[in-house]
Amino acid sequence: MLDDFVAYLQIAPWPPQPDIVFWSAVLLVLGGSLGELVFRRVGLPRIVGYSAVGMAIAVLGKGADAHYPSGVIRVIVDVALGLLLFELGSRVSLRWLRANPALLLTSLAEALFSFLAVFASLRWLGLSVNAALACATLTLATSAAVIGRVSSELHSAGQVTERMVIMTALNTLVAVLLHKLVIAWLHLDTMGDWTLAITQPLYTFGGSFLVAALSCGLVAWIARRLDLRDENSALLLLGLILLALTTARMLNLSTLLVPLLAGVLLRNTSQRPWVWPRHFGTAGGVLVLMLFVIVGACWSLQALALGGLAAGVLLLARTLVKGAVVVAGAHWSGISLRQSLALTLALTPISGTALVLLADLQVSHPLFANQVAPVVLSAIAIMELLGPIVVQWGLRLAGELPGHTVSASKGAQP
C-alpha cells in the first residue's frame, strides 16, 4: 500500500537517497549551531564547534574516505584555505622584518629546529629516514586557518598577534619548500631521476610566485576602481582567488603558496592599507565552516591507534622546541618572557595546511603517503579541538583580547 501511495505522489527513488547537497546543508546547520553554542555559552572560538562536528563524523567511521581530499571536497579545502592564507599574507609587513631582523632569524630558527626535533624524535621511535622526514615536513607549519580565524573572531591586536601572523606565514613558506624537496628526494630515491628532483621544486616556486604576482596585480588594478570592502565587491575578490587557485592546480603549482604570496605582495607593493570583509563575506564564511568540518573528519580511529603514540611524541617535541627558540629570542627580538610564552602557545596548531600537503604527497607517492598518514592524521586529530583553544589561551595570556592590556615593546611594528 505504501508503494502505491509513493508511486501516486511520484516520489522516486524510494526510499529517498540524500545527495551531497543535502548532507552539506546538514553539516552547515550542525556546524553553525554548535559553533554559536560554544562561542556564546562557553566562550570558545566557533571553529571548535565546527571541528567537533567533523570529529563526530570521524568517530562514527564516516570520515575515512576524506583522508586525501579530492573532487569537490578538495576544491572546498583549497578555496577556504586560499581565502585565509590570502588574508594572512596581506597582514605580513616585510618592512617590519627589515627593521627587526631578530624576528626574522627567530622565525627561521623556530621552523628549522622544530623540524629537526620532530625528525629526531620520530627516528628515535624507529620510523625510517624518509618517513621521519615527511612527517617533520608535513607538521612543520602552524595552521594559518586556525590562527587567522581565531585572531579575527576574537579581535585580537598587539605584538603577539602580529608576530603569530608573520611567523605562521614564514613557517608555511618553509614547510612548502621542504615538502617539495622531500618529494624531489623521493623521486630521486625511487627512480634516480636527478632532472625531476631538481626542476620540480624550482618550477613550483617560480611558477607559484609568477601566478601570485599576476593575481596581486589584478587585485590591485580592480581595487583602484572598486571598493573591495563592500560585500558585493568581495564576491569579485573571491572569484579572483578562485581563478588563481584553479590556475595553480592546472599547472601543478602550490595552492598554498599562491594565495599566501599574493597577499604578501599586495601588502608590500602598495602604500594603502588593505581591509577585507571578514573571510570575504557570507560565501567565504560558509567555505571556512566546511573547511574545519572536513579537516575534523579526516582521520579514523584505526589511524589514531596506529599513529597516536608517534603523533603525541611529535607534538611534544615540536612544541617544546618552538617554545625554547621563541623564548631564547624574546629579548633580542623585543618582547617579554610572558609574550614569548603566549606566542609559543599561539604557534602550536596543526590543521588544514598539513592535510593539503599530505594530499599532495599522496598524489605523487601514494604507497609512501599511506605509511606516514596515520601519524600526520593523528597529529591533526589531537590538535583539531585543542589548537584553537590553545591559541585563545595564548592571546589571553598576552593581554591582546578586548578587555585585556599589554605593555608596548621595543620590537613594535613600524
Side-chain angles (χ1 to χ4, degrees):
M1 182 177 178
L2 178 60
D3 290 340
D4 293 337
F5 183 66
V6 169
Y8 175 75
L9 295 177
Q10 299 182 343
I11 301 176
W14 184 261
Q17 304 291 325
D19 58 12
I20 190 172
V21 177
F22 174 85
W23 291 116
S24 296
V26 170
L27 292 178
L28 286 174
V29 172
L30 291 176
S33 300
L34 190 55
E36 287 300 316
L37 180 65
V38 299
F39 182 73
R40 297 182 184 278
R41 297 293 181 86
V42 189
L44 296 176
R46 289 181 177 89
I47 59 175
V48 172
Y50 306 161
S51 299
V53 172
M55 297 194 76
I57 295 172
V59 170
L60 293 173
K62 302 297 183 182
D65 291 340
H67 281 176
Y68 307 115
S70 60
V72 175
I73 292 178
R74 178 62 192 265
V75 172
I76 293 172
V77 170
D78 280 343
V79 176
L81 263 180
L83 295 177
L84 294 168
L85 285 167
F86 183 79
E87 279 188 294
L88 185 81
S90 65
R91 295 169 60 184
V92 173
S93 171
L94 298 181
R95 179 188 172 197
W96 188 20
L97 289 177
R98 289 195 296 270
N100 187 0
L103 174 58
L104 175 61
L105 293 176
T106 299
S107 182
L108 294 176
E110 170 266 318
L112 174 62
F113 285 109
S114 61
F115 169 82
L116 293 175
V118 171
F119 173 77
S121 64
L122 293 180
R123 286 290 293 147
W124 175 71
L125 287 177
L127 272 68
S128 67
V129 172
N130 285 351
L133 277 174
C135 290
T137 303
L138 293 169
T139 58
L140 189 156
T142 300
S143 173
V146 172
I147 67 108
R149 178 70 191 222
V150 172
S151 63
S152 173
E153 186 173 278
L154 300 181
H155 305 289
S156 67
Q159 279 288 294
V160 172
T161 299
E162 295 306 318
R163 288 165 189 258
M164 173 183 71
V165 167
I166 281 191
M167 294 179 78
T168 298
L170 288 175
N171 65 35
T172 299
L173 289 172
V174 173
V176 176
L177 171 61
L178 290 178
H179 177 66
K180 292 301 178 183
L181 292 176
V182 167
I183 289 179
W185 162 250
L186 292 174
H187 283 313
L188 184 62
D189 192 41
T190 57
M191 297 183 291
D193 191 338
W194 278 98
T195 303
L196 183 62
I198 294 173
T199 58
Q200 187 181 60
L202 293 176
Y203 168 74
T204 298
F205 274 82
S208 296
F209 183 84
L210 180 59
V211 172
L214 293 174
S215 301
C216 166
L218 188 55
V219 170
W221 183 82
I222 292 175
R224 289 194 292 269
R225 291 157 177 79
L226 296 173
D227 182 6
L228 293 180
R229 293 170 296 180
D230 178 74
E231 182 81 13
N232 294 322
S233 297
L235 292 176
L236 174 60
L237 186 58
L238 177 62
L240 292 173
I241 294 175
L242 180 58
L243 178 62
L245 292 173
T246 304
T247 303
R249 292 193 66 185
M250 287 190 301
L251 298 177
N252 193 28
L253 302 174
S254 173
T255 56
L256 298 173
L257 281 185
V258 167
L260 178 60
L261 290 175
V264 172
L265 290 171
L266 194 63
R267 165 68 189 272
N268 292 279
T269 56
S270 172
Q271 296 300 317
R272 60 174 293 178
W274 295 96
V275 181
W276 317 108
R278 185 177 169 187
H279 307 318
F280 304 96
T282 303
V286 170
L287 290 170
V288 169
L289 189 158
M290 293 297 293
L291 168 68
F292 286 101
V293 172
I294 290 169
V295 175
C298 287
W299 60 279
S300 66
L301 293 175
Q302 181 183 12
L304 192 60
L306 291 173
L309 175 61
V313 172
L314 178 159
L315 292 172
L316 179 61
R318 178 179 181 269
T319 302
L320 290 176
V321 172
K322 280 181 182 289
V325 173
V326 172
V327 170
H331 178 72
W332 190 33
S333 66
I335 57 175
S336 67
L337 176 62
R338 181 187 182 92
Q339 288 174 312
S340 67
L341 293 174
L343 182 57
T344 299
L345 292 176
L347 292 173
T348 56
I350 294 173
S351 189
T353 306
L355 184 64
V356 168
L357 294 176
L358 178 61
D360 289 342
L361 180 63
Q362 199 274 336
V363 171
S364 61
H365 296 85
L367 295 178
F368 178 73
N370 290 336
Q371 297 175 25
V372 302
V375 178
V376 177
L377 294 174
S378 295
I380 292 174
I382 293 170
M383 293 302 299
E384 191 62 16
L385 293 180
L386 187 59
I389 299 173
V390 171
V391 172
Q392 185 181 33
W393 290 346
L395 296 175
R396 183 175 289 125
L397 177 65
E400 297 188 1
L401 300 183
H404 295 75
T405 58
V406 64
S407 59
S409 60
K410 67 181 181 181
Q413 182 175 351

